[in-house]
């Protein structure tokens, strides 16, 4: 089981919303793109909400998110995992990203949305206790996972649930 490394965040100084996943899938790692698996609903949802459609080049999609105050990152900096499933992450191997530094730099972020349960679980266990009172203003919410492994909701239902991320960034 090899160690895998996550990506740098998609973020700009005007970010107001942070979307957190756990760790990129094998396909995402190969493509060097967040949510790179063609069956992942993330980019179709971002297309419906902000115009960052999966048909656009990756750099354009990232720019659209940043222009709309959306940041994307993962809770984990690295871990050991066989395959792509969060359930296969070896918990004793995880290294978390530096959220105190990140949130200190991007001070307009007010809302953190978790893309599924693993990101929320790891954040609440390993990150939240270490954040000091400077970040007590943050609001948190878990959203339905965009992963193709979580097919209990169809795309239209996921888009409806994810609309909440637009509220903090309405211009």
């Amino acid at each position: 089981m090899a160690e895998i490394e996550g990506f740098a965040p998609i973020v700009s100084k005007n970010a107001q919303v942070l979307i957190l996943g756990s760790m990129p899938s094998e396909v995402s790692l190969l493509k060097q793109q967040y949510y790179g698996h063609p069956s992942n609903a993330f980019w179709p949802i971002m297309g419906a909400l902000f115009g960052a459609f999966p048909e656009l080049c990756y750099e354009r999609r990232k720019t659209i998110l940043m222009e709309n105050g959306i940041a994307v990152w993962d809770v984990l900096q690295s871990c050991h995992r066989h395959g792509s499933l969060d359930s296969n992450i070896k918990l004793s191997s995880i290294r978390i990203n530096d959220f105190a530094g990140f949130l200190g730099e991007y001070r307009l972020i007010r809302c953190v949305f978790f893309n599924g349960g693993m990101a929320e679980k790891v954040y609440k266990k390993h990150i939240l206790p270490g954040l000091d009172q400077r970040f007590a203003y943050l609001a948190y919410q878990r959203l339905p996972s965009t992963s193709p492994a979580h097919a209990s909701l169809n795309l239209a239902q996921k888009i409806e649930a994810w609309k909440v991320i637009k509220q903090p960034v309405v211009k």
Side-chain angles (χ1 to χ4, degrees), residues 33-47:
Q33 297 180 7
Y34 277 102
Y35 305 104
H37 194 288
S39 297
N40 192 296
F42 183 81
W43 291 112
I45 292 168
M46 294 304 109

Side-chain angles (χ1 to χ4, degrees), residues 30-31 38 41-42 57 65-66 87 94 103 117-118 137 141 162:
L30 285 172
K31 292 173 89 172
F42 183 81
C57 76
L65 291 185
M66 290 186 288
S87 58
I94 65 171
L103 294 167
M118 177 61 99
Y137 58 85
Q141 184 174 341
W162 277 74

Side-chain angles (χ1 to χ4, degrees), residues 20-132:
L20 289 176
S22 54
M23 177 61 71
S25 70
E26 288 182 316
V27 172
S28 295
L29 291 165
L30 285 172
K31 292 173 89 172
Q32 287 296 291
Q33 297 180 7
Y34 277 102
Y35 305 104
H37 194 288
S39 297
N40 192 296
F42 183 81
W43 291 112
I45 292 168
M46 294 304 109
L49 299 180
F50 301 105
F53 293 100
E55 298 81 21
L56 298 173
C57 76
Y58 183 63
E59 291 304 315
R60 181 68 187 128
R61 287 181 273 155
K62 289 182 357 182
T63 298
I64 290 169
L65 291 185
M66 290 186 288
E67 288 171 351
N68 282 281
I70 305 295
V72 178
W73 205 18
D74 285 316
V75 174
L76 300 179
Q77 178 183 33
S78 68
C79 68
H80 288 88
R81 179 187 68 204
H82 179 71
S84 292
L85 296 176
D86 283 348
S87 58
N88 290 341
I89 293 172
K90 185 177 177 185
L91 294 178
S92 63
S93 73
I94 65 171
R95 284 193 356 242
I96 57 172
N97 278 312
D98 174 15
F99 283 90
F102 179 84
L103 294 167
E105 183 172 351
Y106 300 100
R107 297 180 178 272
L108 297 179
I109 293 174
R110 293 290 182 261
C111 299
V112 178
F113 294 96
F114 300 104
N115 187 351
M118 177 61 99
E120 179 185 40
K121 176 183 167 186
V122 172
Y123 187 94
K124 286 185 173 180
K125 181 175 181 179
H126 296 280
I127 297 162
L128 193 56
L131 292 179
D132 59 38

